[in-house]
Amino acid sequence: MKVLLVNGSQHHHGCTYTALQEVGAELQKQGIETEEFWCGNKAIMGCLGCGHCSETKRCWYGDDTVNKFLEKVSEVDAFVFGTPVHFAGTSGFIKPFMDRAFCSKASMFFNKPAAAIVSCRRGGAQGAFEDMNRYFTIACMPVVSSKYWNEVHGNTPDEVKQDLEGMQTMRQLARNMAWMLRCIEAGKKNGVPLPEHETPIKTNFIR
């Protein structure tokens, strides 16, 4: 079993990375393999809504990290997405990244557990946390929780490490993720099928 840790901060080894590392270390203690994926610090184009990816499951634009991420989706069993808080919302890197990664590709993520973590200096964590979870709940992904909302506080990696409650929240998140993955694996071995997915029905409000 393998969890992909997705770092949506423009700072590769900043506060978000520090929180993800705490999750990853505990997952490894639980016998779960992890891999880090950094969205990078170069501009990520937003979704054009062109529909190209509905057939290919790849974005037509290949000059950033979105398609590199999509290549890994089939190789992993779960995800932890991390973002710093910018203006009480997600970062300007992770938002377009998530839009393009999930647009017309929800079926790639079906039944794969996911969690979001957010890193902030002081406030605005809840807005970013809620934004991230909306991607999971539209893609039939079981959302993994912790003992508190998945957030850490601090302006530097060292300050984040001093947020003892935040670090504990990250570790509990990892243990809950490992437990869910083991439950899913046990279900498969004992003949419990994954939920059936009906053909999508889309109903517009204006007729």
Side-chain angles (χ1 to χ4, degrees):
M1 291 177 282
K2 185 176 182 179
V3 177
L4 191 64
L5 308 173
V6 182
N7 183 355
S9 171
Q10 69 271 36
H11 302 295
H12 192 175
H13 297 107
C15 296
T16 304
Y17 169 85
T18 303
L20 286 168
Q21 286 293 104
E22 191 75 4
V23 176
E26 184 62 32
L27 280 168
Q28 290 169 24
K29 285 183 182 178
Q30 298 291 322
I32 306 296
E33 183 183 356
T34 65
E35 180 181 347
E36 180 198 354
F37 185 92
W38 183 40
C39 295
N41 57 8
K42 300 186 185 304
I44 296 178
M45 188 181 71
C47 180
L48 297 180
C50 66
H52 174 80
C53 62
S54 61
E55 296 295 331
T56 64
K57 303 305 179 188
R58 289 177 59 84
C59 184
W60 72 272
Y61 186 78
D63 288 342
D64 53 32
T65 54
V66 175
N67 282 327
K68 292 178 183 177
F69 165 77
L70 291 172
E71 291 171 0
K72 294 182 177 293
V73 171
S74 64
E75 302 171 2
V76 300
D77 303 289
F79 305 86
V80 179
F81 292 90
T83 180
V85 174
H86 292 173
F87 294 95
T90 56
S91 79
F93 289 88
I94 196 71
K95 172 62 176 170
F97 179 93
M98 298 289 279
D99 283 352
R100 284 172 49 217
F102 279 79
C103 180
S104 299
K105 307 175 198 68
S107 61
M108 297 174 65
F109 300 91
F110 281 174
N111 305 120
K112 294 192 175 191
I117 65 170
V118 298
S119 169
C120 65
R121 183 190 69 83
R122 183 173 178 85
Q126 287 308 296
F129 184 60
E130 291 165 4
D131 284 348
M132 294 294 287
N133 279 281
R134 291 188 183 102
Y135 293 98
F136 313 147
T137 55
I138 204 171
C140 293
M141 303 175 79
V143 179
V144 182
S145 62
S146 185
K147 61 182 291 293
Y148 194 79
W149 296 296
N150 306 333
E151 58 192 59
V152 296
H153 293 258
N155 200 42
T156 66
D158 284 341
E159 290 182 1
V160 168
K161 292 175 184 177
Q162 294 176 53
D163 179 9
L164 300 183
E165 184 174 2
M167 292 287 96
Q168 186 180 66
T169 300
M170 297 300 106
R171 294 191 297 273
Q172 187 63 56
L173 172 63
R175 288 190 287 269
N176 290 352
M177 174 73 81
W179 173 81
M180 183 175 287
L181 286 171
R182 287 195 289 265
C183 287
I184 293 172
E185 185 69 15
K188 290 178 181 177
K189 290 179 179 177
N190 287 277
V192 179
L194 292 173
E196 177 186 354
H197 291 278
E198 298 182 17
T199 301
I201 300 173
K202 293 190 175 182
T203 305
N204 296 333
F205 290 105
I206 298 175
R207 306 297 178 97

